């Protein structure tokens, strides 16, 4: 075995001894308190075939045990996780990352050339500060829009689930709920995702997961600018409670002058209005489907003009966002439109009979402050207009002789006018 004491001491000097693995957040698990087993020179690296320190741990409850598969030197050369071999920055396969950054793989395949290349890379890693990748990946400084769109921002812990129980598939599993494997229907064996090779994944060739992601990138939607050139507002959705006004301003100010930033906390969205249309188009192009602030992927859309928003509004039970609204039971229907007013016809705001005089209107007004209302039975007599004890109705204003009558109180035929006149003479 490789760990046996032998005379080949030169190769043993190149064996790896580490204190902690290089892992992504998904493989490490969601539990902050985790226990690992460390086996010094436990297995050979599946890429360079050199013994390295193997770490083994359980990422969470009802998850399968995981272990490191490649050494840290091979992990640092490609900037990938030692277990899943996915990129540590984007969470994508190596083939997708190299395609997005236009990097050509230069790792040799033969054993002798591979050993020579690994030694040179170890020397370069030792001379660096350890915070940046080395090799061709370290020279690629520009980022890719495709990688930002496909990047995974949150851990995918579902990848740590146990494998499917083969005995349960055959109907022979006798463990029941104590079985550590999944009792689910297996996937299609002809599915290309079921045939994955760790060396092809590391070298970035013939990777079915990478082919699937590249096809998805080619069919991604685009955000076309509206035809109305007066629109300079962008809609930002999915803010949550962590994204603030300052975070949006610090990201979007690089594209041009910002006129206003309006945050609608109830809808968890914001509207950013730029001073020029050119700045808004650049911000939409650079931020659509790849805007990540404080770990949240935000939605970027174009705003709508005020005229279009006023014309569309909410009609036929459809909101501004295009969602169908269910009718609320118990609410009254829509009011009928007001009738067309004729300029010559007098305005009748109280729907009174045209033959009715304003003098017969009894409008009960509240008493002024400080005066108590009269007790029942002592107030002015109230009669029904059509009752037998009602006073005679005065003729309408149109049938009275012309006079200087401008208000109902000046009408000598109004109710109570003669009594007031007689009392005035009696005094």
């Amino acid at each position: 075995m490789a760990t046996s004491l032998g005379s080949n001491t030169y190769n043993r000097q190149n064996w790896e001894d580490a204190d902690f693995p290089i892992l992504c957040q998904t493989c490490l698990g969601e539990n902050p308190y985790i226990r690992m087993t460390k086996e010094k020179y436990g297995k050979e690296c599946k890429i360079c075939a050199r013994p390295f320190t193997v770490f083994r741990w359980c990422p969470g409850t009802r998850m399968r045990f995981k272990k490191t598969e490649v050494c840290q030197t091979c992990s640092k050369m490609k900037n990938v996780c030692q277990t899943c071999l996915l990129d540590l920055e984007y969470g994508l396969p190596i083939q997708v990352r190299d395609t997005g950054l236009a990097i050509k793989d230069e790792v040799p395949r033969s054993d002798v050339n591979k050993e020579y290349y690994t030694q040179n890379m170890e020397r370069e890693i030792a001379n660096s500060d350890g915070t940046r990748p080395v090799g061709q990946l370290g020279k690629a400084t520009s980022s890719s829009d495709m990688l930002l769109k496909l990047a995974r921002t949150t851990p995918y812990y579902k990848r740590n689930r146990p494998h499917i129980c083969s005995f349960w598939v055959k109907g022979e599993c006798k463990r029941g709920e104590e079985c550590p494997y999944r009792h689910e229907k297996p996937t299609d064996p002809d599915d290309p995702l079921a045939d994955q090779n760790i060396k092809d994944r590391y070298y970035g060739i013939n990777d079915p997961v990478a082919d699937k992601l590249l096809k998805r990138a080619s069919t991604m939607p685009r955000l076309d600018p509206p035809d109305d050139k007066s629109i300079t507002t962008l809609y930002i959705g999915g803010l949550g409670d962590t994204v603030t006004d300052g975070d949006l301003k610090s990201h979007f100010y690089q594209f041009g002058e910002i006129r206003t930033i309006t945050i609608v906390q109830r809808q968890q969205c914001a509207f950013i209005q730029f001073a020029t249309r050119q700045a808004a188009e650049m911000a939409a192009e650079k931020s659509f489907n790849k805007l990540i602030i404080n770990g949240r992927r935000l939605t970027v859309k174009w705003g709508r003009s005020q005229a279009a928003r006023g014309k569309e509004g909410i009609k036929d039970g459809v909101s501004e966002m295009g969602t169908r609204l269910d009718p609320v039971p118990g609410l009254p229907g829509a009011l009928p439109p007001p009738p067309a007013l004729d300029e010559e016809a007098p305005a009748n705001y109280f729907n009174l009979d045209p033959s009715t005089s304003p003098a017969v209107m009894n409008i009960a007004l509240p008493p002024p402050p400080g005066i108590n209302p009269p007790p029942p039975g002592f107030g002015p007599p109230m009669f029904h207009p059509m009752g037998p004890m009602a006073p005679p109705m005065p003729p309408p204003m149109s049938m009275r002789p012309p006079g200087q009558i401008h208000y109902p109180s000046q009408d000598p035929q109004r109710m109570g006018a003669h009594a007031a006149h007689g009392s005035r003479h009696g005094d």
Side-chain angles (χ1 to χ4, degrees):
M1 181 154 178
T3 58
S4 62
L5 297 177
S7 60
N8 193 357
T9 58
Y10 173 76
N11 289 334
R12 293 195 62 181
Q13 292 177 358
N14 296 329
W15 293 358
E16 179 186 284
D17 185 11
D19 295 329
F20 197 83
I22 301 175
L23 302 174
C24 62
Q25 183 63 36
T26 301
C27 293
L28 192 59
E30 56 185 344
N31 186 8
Y33 305 101
I34 192 172
R35 291 188 295 180
M36 289 185 178
T37 60
K38 175 183 175 182
E39 186 179 2
K40 193 175 182 179
Y41 311 140
K43 286 184 176 297
E44 292 182 353
C45 175
K46 295 186 177 180
I47 303 300
C48 64
R50 295 188 303 175
F52 71 105
T53 303
V54 178
F55 294 90
R56 188 173 182 268
W57 72 99
C58 183
T61 307
R62 301 292 298 175
M63 299 295 179
R64 72 176 187 271
F65 275 82
K66 308 190 77 173
K67 61 183 180 65
T68 53
E69 304 291 345
V70 298
C71 64
Q72 292 194 3
T73 302
C74 295
S75 173
K76 292 178 181 178
M77 287 192 302
K78 292 283 190 175
N79 193 32
V80 295
C81 174
Q82 283 188 261
T83 301
C84 63
L85 298 186
L86 294 180
D87 184 74
L88 294 175
E89 183 178 357
Y90 302 102
L92 298 173
I94 297 177
Q95 183 176 350
V96 178
R97 183 201 63 191
D98 293 349
T99 303
L101 299 178
I103 298 176
K104 185 178 180 181
D105 181 46
E106 58 179 9
V107 179
R109 304 293 192 271
S110 62
D111 296 338
V112 178
N113 293 334
K114 188 189 305 180
E115 182 69 22
Y116 176 74
Y117 180 82
T118 305
Q119 291 179 4
N120 293 335
M121 295 305 297
E122 284 181 341
R123 191 180 302 110
E124 185 177 351
I125 293 172
N127 296 332
S128 63
D129 56 355
T131 59
R132 292 182 55 84
V134 295
Q136 293 291 333
L137 184 60
K139 300 177 183 178
T141 57
S142 61
S143 60
S144 173
D145 296 343
M146 181 188 69
L147 297 181
L148 295 177
K149 294 178 181 179
L150 296 176
R152 182 179 293 276
T153 58
T154 57
Y156 184 64
Y157 297 120
K158 191 177 179 181
R159 200 172 65 210
N160 300 332
R161 293 182 304 169
H163 298 291
I164 296 177
C165 180
S166 59
F167 290 91
W168 182 83
V169 175
K170 295 184 293 185
E172 299 177 359
C173 183
K174 301 179 181 179
R175 295 184 181 183
E177 296 181 356
E178 298 180 357
C179 182
Y181 298 96
R182 283 188 296 161
H183 288 181
E184 296 179 4
K185 182 180 179 181
T187 57
D188 187 7
D190 297 333
D191 188 4
L193 297 179
D195 186 14
Q196 300 184 29
N197 188 357
I198 189 171
K199 288 190 176 181
D200 292 343
R201 188 189 307 175
Y202 183 82
Y203 293 126
I205 55 174
N206 301 327
D207 188 357
V209 179
D211 295 338
K212 180 180 178 181
L213 291 176
L214 292 176
K215 291 179 181 179
R216 181 189 302 176
S218 61
T219 59
M220 273 189 172
R222 299 181 306 171
L223 183 62
D224 297 329
D227 297 334
D228 189 359
K229 298 298 182 180
S230 64
I231 299 177
T232 60
T233 305
L234 295 182
Y235 166 85
I236 312 298
L239 298 182
D241 299 331
T242 59
V243 182
T244 60
D245 187 357
D247 297 333
L248 295 175
K249 186 176 182 180
S250 62
H251 174 77
F252 284 99
Y253 84 97
Q254 58 182 325
F255 305 113
E257 181 183 356
I258 298 177
R259 183 170 297 172
T260 57
I261 297 180
T262 305
I263 296 181
V264 184
Q265 196 64 32
R266 180 183 299 178
Q267 304 292 338
Q268 293 187 352
C269 65
F271 295 91
I272 302 178
Q273 183 180 11
F274 288 88
T276 60
R277 174 59 179 260
Q278 182 180 2
E281 291 182 359
M282 184 181 301
E285 181 183 357
K286 298 294 184 181
S287 304
F288 175 68
N289 208 10
K290 54 189 173 184
L291 178 58
I292 301 173
I293 298 179
N294 294 342
R296 295 183 63 90
R297 182 181 291 273
L298 306 182
T299 304
V300 179
K301 296 181 180 179
W302 278 97
R304 291 186 296 177
S305 61
Q306 297 292 338
R309 190 179 306 172
K311 289 181 180 179
E312 295 180 6
I314 301 177
K315 56 184 179 179
D316 298 334
V318 180
S319 65
E320 291 186 3
M321 302 303 296
T323 57
R324 176 70 59 177
L325 302 178
D326 298 331
V328 180
L331 294 180
L335 294 176
L341 298 178
D342 192 359
E343 296 181 358
E344 298 180 358
N348 190 3
Y349 297 104
F350 298 99
N351 296 327
L352 299 177
D353 190 3
S355 61
T356 305
S357 173
V360 301
M361 294 170 51
N362 292 327
I363 303 176
L365 298 177
I371 301 177
N372 297 327
F378 292 92
M382 301 294 294
F383 304 101
H384 194 275
M386 302 301 296
M389 299 185 64
M393 298 292 291
M397 298 290 295
S398 58
M399 299 180 63
R400 297 177 187 178
Q404 299 296 328
I405 299 177
H406 300 283
Y407 301 99
S409 60
Q410 300 177 354
D411 189 4
Q413 299 183 1
R414 64 185 177 85
M415 185 171 55
H418 296 285
H421 183 72
S423 62
R424 189 177 297 114
H425 283 285
D427 293 340

